[in-house]
Amino acid sequence: MRRLYKLQKLTEFLKTLTIEGTEAKLYPILTTAQSDATSKLAHLDGQQFLIARPECNDNGDSDQHSEIVSTAFFLLEKNLGQLATPEKEQSQYDRLLDVAMSLIEIIDAAMTDSRCGLLSGLTTESVNIMPEASLFGGWLGYSIEINFV
């Protein structure tokens, strides 16, 4: 599959992607840079779902010429600051991890569903899920980096 076609298909899929948060449906906030994300989150509350616009990278093997298309997702809640206790913070991470699991299931299903033309033909090369703290001006949660080939 050609590089820009992969990028186009993934971008179209991400624009329409929604997931069930623990409190409400989460709609994606597409972003390009950390300052852009911080600005978009500045006046929001509750759970938020950010997506870094995808990018293409050559895997370095000119014989194969199969490009990697990658993106990052962020599932976030506002840090509780002075109200935080270890139990409350753990509860935030637990809720967001449940949402992260739902996100991965949605992506896996879209890649195997022949009716979803946007991700068909792509496979995941790697998935990295990491807990994060103090992101984007005081948000915590999980970042999920996915590389598609």
Side-chain angles (χ1 to χ4, degrees), residues 22-48:
T22 56
E23 300 165 4
K25 185 175 271 195
L26 300 176
Y27 296 89
I29 300 170
L30 269 69
T31 187
T32 305
Q34 184 171 353
S35 60
D36 179 49
T38 301
S39 174
K40 289 177 178 179
L41 288 169
H43 302 291
L44 299 176
D45 290 317
Q47 291 180 347
Q48 299 299 322

Side-chain angles (χ1 to χ4, degrees), residues 9-148:
K9 284 177 51 167
L10 180 57
T11 300
E12 287 302 312
F13 174 78
L14 296 176
K15 289 191 304 189
T16 63
L17 179 61
T18 61
I19 52 177
E20 287 297 325
T22 56
E23 300 165 4
K25 185 175 271 195
L26 300 176
Y27 296 89
I29 300 170
L30 269 69
T31 187
T32 305
Q34 184 171 353
S35 60
D36 179 49
T38 301
S39 174
K40 289 177 178 179
L41 288 169
H43 302 291
L44 299 176
D45 290 317
Q47 291 180 347
Q48 299 299 322
F49 175 37
L50 267 70
I51 302 174
R53 286 187 174 81
E55 60 187 27
C56 271
N57 300 299
D58 190 325
N59 70 357
D61 186 348
S62 60
D63 292 337
Q64 295 294 324
H65 197 65
S66 62
E67 295 83 11
I68 297 169
V69 179
S70 60
T71 190
F73 303 88
F74 299 91
L75 297 165
L76 306 168
E77 282 187 16
K78 195 74 161 166
N79 188 322
L80 295 173
Q82 294 180 356
L83 301 175
T85 65
E87 295 80 17
K88 287 179 181 179
E89 183 178 274
Q90 185 60 51
S91 179
Q92 283 184 294
Y93 279 107
D94 289 346
R95 286 191 306 271
L96 291 167
L97 188 56
D98 288 342
V99 179
M101 290 172 53
S102 296
L103 173 63
I104 297 300
E105 289 171 1
I106 290 168
I107 291 170
D108 286 345
M111 287 189 302
T112 58
D113 185 351
S114 61
R115 295 170 293 174
C116 179
L118 294 176
L119 291 189
S120 64
L122 292 177
T123 58
T124 53
E125 180 190 66
S126 64
V127 177
N128 297 308
I129 303 172
M130 296 164 280
E132 304 283 359
S134 299
L135 281 173
F136 310 116
W139 294 78
L140 62 77
Y142 286 90
S143 64
I144 303 166
E145 297 175 4
I146 301 180
N147 290 321
F148 297 92

